[in-house]
Amino acid sequence: MNTLTVHNPATGAQIAELPADDAASVAAKARRARAAQPAWAAVPMAERKACITRFRAGIVAELDALAAVMTRETGKPLKMSRNELNGLLGRIDFFLAEVGGATGTQTVFNEGGMTEQIEHTPLGVVANISAWNYPWFVGGNVFIPALLTGNAVLYKPSEYAAMSGLAMARLLHAAGVPQDVFIPLIGGGAVGAALMEQKIDGLFFTGSHATGAKIAQALGPRLVKLQLELGGKDPTYVSEDANVKNAAESLADGAMYNTGQSCCSVERIYVHEKIYDAFVTAFLETVKTFKTGDPMSEDTYIGAITRAPQLDVLDAQVADAKAKGATLLAGGKRGAGPGNWYEPTVFGNVNHSMELMREESFGPLIGIQKVSGDAEAVKLMNDTRYGLTAGMFTPDEARAKALLAQVSAGSVYWNCCDRVSPRLPWSGYGDSGVGLTLSTYGIQTFTRPKAWHLRQA
């Protein structure tokens, strides 16, 4: 029997050994999902909503225990694990409130005996290869609207969040979702590859650009609906009229929250030359307050790096920045073991020849670059192959809107950062991916529009 060994990234200790899938079990589960989907689609919307409502209640009842599991397997500070679960509740509420209106049949023309309608039908079997950094958020963005709209879901959690994935399945089944309508798949890349070989109607992936490109290449000829939520190198510009203290505190949190392991973490900061020194001072003062320690401790802010290989990425970016003349202002090396630790690291005097200003860091590492004004800021913000989020700090709303309108990014922020709302679509430009989740558009993405032409005899 295949197994998946789970380690605590904060200690290196083994915490579980889970039964894992292989190609044969993935194929069998895909057949089960295919067979079960039509009956689930025929269940009235009210009953499907009732199942998700009970799932929500199950999360509330077990929230502390679920948070502890997430922290143990990902290294995320416990408080942030609770924040994720509490935040998911609002997303569930949004999906429950909006699914009916977003997918109800629309009559768009009715004249002279001819009626035209748009019906939203389920995709069918949805495959979801999910992420470890926000397992409940990222997974819930897909499987909750997918289930509400009548799809069956083959859910592969990241091997770094498999225990959370199994908890999702357990709670969904207890809430009334049939076992063959939501099926977890446990394992690493080989299981994901086997999933892609199945007869599926949509594949929703969250992860790196490199893996996303391979998925697109594999599934492109089959014309399967494909949605890829990939990386980011998210910039923010602090103008000369910004409140320096507020901007520094917000951006330090935006860069370091979840130990910098967020696709929308602030990864590049551009500061007007007139306030650069003051901003850097305030930024460092804030970072110094972030406590690194046991992720299970209530006052820990910087947790463990979930994936050990990422430590090499961070080391390489630090070495590259130093070699090219950047000024190391804080951190710059791994923390003491055991476990995967990296100090909160800040560089000044950076430029775009350096990897930390071009490639995703996905850790507690940030570069701060001085700019002469708005024009240079826009040029540098757009000097990237990614386009997930971007922001600006200034008291002038009109100026911020005019500047951010020129930036290629799916989400833009004025005087805030690192924020996701269920009411707004989550999408990206360039190598940040294709497709979207969240908002009513993110509900409709799990359906096919069917056009009805109805003429009275």
Side-chain angles (χ1 to χ4, degrees):
M1 182 181 69
N2 289 347
T3 59
L4 174 69
T5 302
V6 181
H7 292 87
N8 184 332
T11 65
Q14 180 177 325
I15 55 176
E17 188 169 80
L18 307 175
D21 284 282
D22 57 19
S25 67
V26 170
K29 288 180 176 182
R31 290 192 294 269
R32 285 165 44 199
R34 176 67 59 187
Q37 188 272 326
W40 177 248
V43 170
M45 173 70 77
E47 292 185 28
R48 297 200 297 265
K49 289 173 66 175
C51 289
I52 299 302
T53 299
R54 290 191 290 270
F55 171 66
R56 184 193 189 282
I59 294 171
V60 172
E62 298 186 22
L63 195 143
D64 286 341
L66 296 171
V69 168
M70 190 180 353
T71 290
R72 289 176 64 214
E73 66 180 344
T74 69
K76 181 195 299 279
L78 184 61
K79 185 177 294 185
M80 296 180 190
S81 293
R82 287 201 202 97
N83 288 347
E84 180 176 343
L85 288 161
N86 280 311
L88 177 66
L89 302 180
R91 295 191 187 187
I92 295 173
D93 292 341
F94 172 83
F95 290 134
L96 289 170
E98 298 295 334
V99 63
T103 62
T105 298
Q106 299 171 269
T107 297
V108 295
F109 181 82
N110 189 359
E111 189 175 308
M114 174 61 75
T115 301
E116 298 172 354
Q117 293 182 330
I118 302 171
E119 179 188 15
H120 292 273
T121 64
L123 288 177
V125 176
V126 168
N128 181 201
I129 301 176
S130 197
W132 51 263
N133 59 329
Y134 287 94
W136 288 84
F137 267 169
V138 174
N141 290 348
V142 173
F143 67 72
I144 293 170
L147 291 170
L148 285 171
T149 51
N151 298 281
V153 178
L154 295 165
Y155 181 68
K156 186 203 168 301
S158 166
E159 58 269 40
Y160 296 97
M163 294 167 66
S164 291
L166 290 173
M168 296 169 201
R170 175 178 59 79
L171 290 174
L172 284 165
H173 297 157
V177 175
Q179 291 201 2
D180 288 352
V181 169
F182 183 91
I183 307 180
L185 306 173
I186 302 302
V191 172
L195 176 57
M196 288 191 290
E197 294 177 0
Q198 308 310 311
K199 182 182 178 182
I200 54 178
D201 301 296
L203 189 138
F204 294 73
F205 168 76
T206 300
S208 71
H209 171 266
T211 303
K214 292 177 182 177
I215 291 172
Q217 185 176 29
L219 290 182
R222 291 169 50 189
L223 305 181
V224 172
K225 179 166 186 177
L226 186 60
Q227 184 158 301
L228 304 171
E229 182 181 326
L230 308 177
K233 194 65 186 173
D234 305 306
T236 297
Y237 168 46
V238 184
S239 68
E240 79 284 355
D241 57 357
N243 183 307
V244 171
K245 183 175 184 293
N246 289 348
E249 290 176 352
S250 177
L251 290 172
D253 182 63
M256 302 292 176
Y257 190 87
N258 200 31
T259 319
Q261 299 174 114
S262 304
C263 55
C264 56
S265 288
V266 176
E267 291 225 357
R268 297 179 283 150
I269 302 175
Y270 303 100
V271 182
H272 196 285
E273 58 190 5
K274 291 183 179 178
I275 61 165
Y276 177 84
D277 290 340
F279 176 86
V280 167
T281 297
F283 190 91
L284 291 172
E285 287 176 353
T286 302
V287 170
K288 288 175 184 176
T289 68
F290 295 158
K291 181 183 175 183
T292 299
D294 179 1
M296 296 298 290
S297 175
E298 291 290 345
D299 60 350
T300 293
Y301 181 90
I302 299 291
I305 298 294
T306 304
R307 296 177 61 256
Q310 196 64 24
L311 297 171
D312 293 333
V313 174
L314 297 171
D315 277 343
Q317 289 193 357
V318 167
D320 177 74
K322 287 180 177 179
K324 293 175 179 175
T327 303
L328 179 63
L329 302 171
K333 62 182 187 297
R334 303 185 187 204
N340 311 327
W341 299 93
Y342 214 88
E343 296 177 346
T345 299
V346 183
F347 277 98
N349 297 320
V350 296
N351 60 61
H352 276 218
S353 73
M354 302 170 185
E355 289 292 302
L356 88 164
M357 298 300 283
R358 305 203 63 82
E359 295 301 329
E360 193 170 28
S361 300
F362 228 68
L365 171 60
I366 189 70
I368 306 174
Q369 184 167 350
K370 186 185 301 183
V371 295
S372 59
D374 294 8
E376 184 180 12
V378 169
K379 179 181 178 181
L380 291 170
M381 291 167 86
N382 281 330
D383 182 24
T384 180
R385 62 191 180 97
Y386 297 105
L388 190 60
T389 79
M392 180 177 181
F393 280 76
T394 173
D396 188 336
E397 180 178 1
R399 180 182 175 189
K401 285 184 173 180
L403 184 141
L404 292 171
Q406 302 173 62
V407 179
S408 297
S411 293
V412 292
Y413 304 112
W414 174 46
N415 292 335
C416 57
C417 60
D418 190 27
R419 182 179 187 275
V420 182
S421 167
R423 297 170 291 279
L424 295 173
W426 188 247
S427 64
Y429 289 42
D431 285 357
S432 287
V434 295
L436 58 88
T437 53
L438 300 175
S439 79
T440 54
Y441 299 112
I443 296 173
Q444 292 174 345
T445 198
F446 297 96
T447 68
R448 303 180 194 273
K450 189 166 188 173
W452 289 85
H453 304 252
L454 307 170
R455 184 184 294 279
Q456 294 180 357

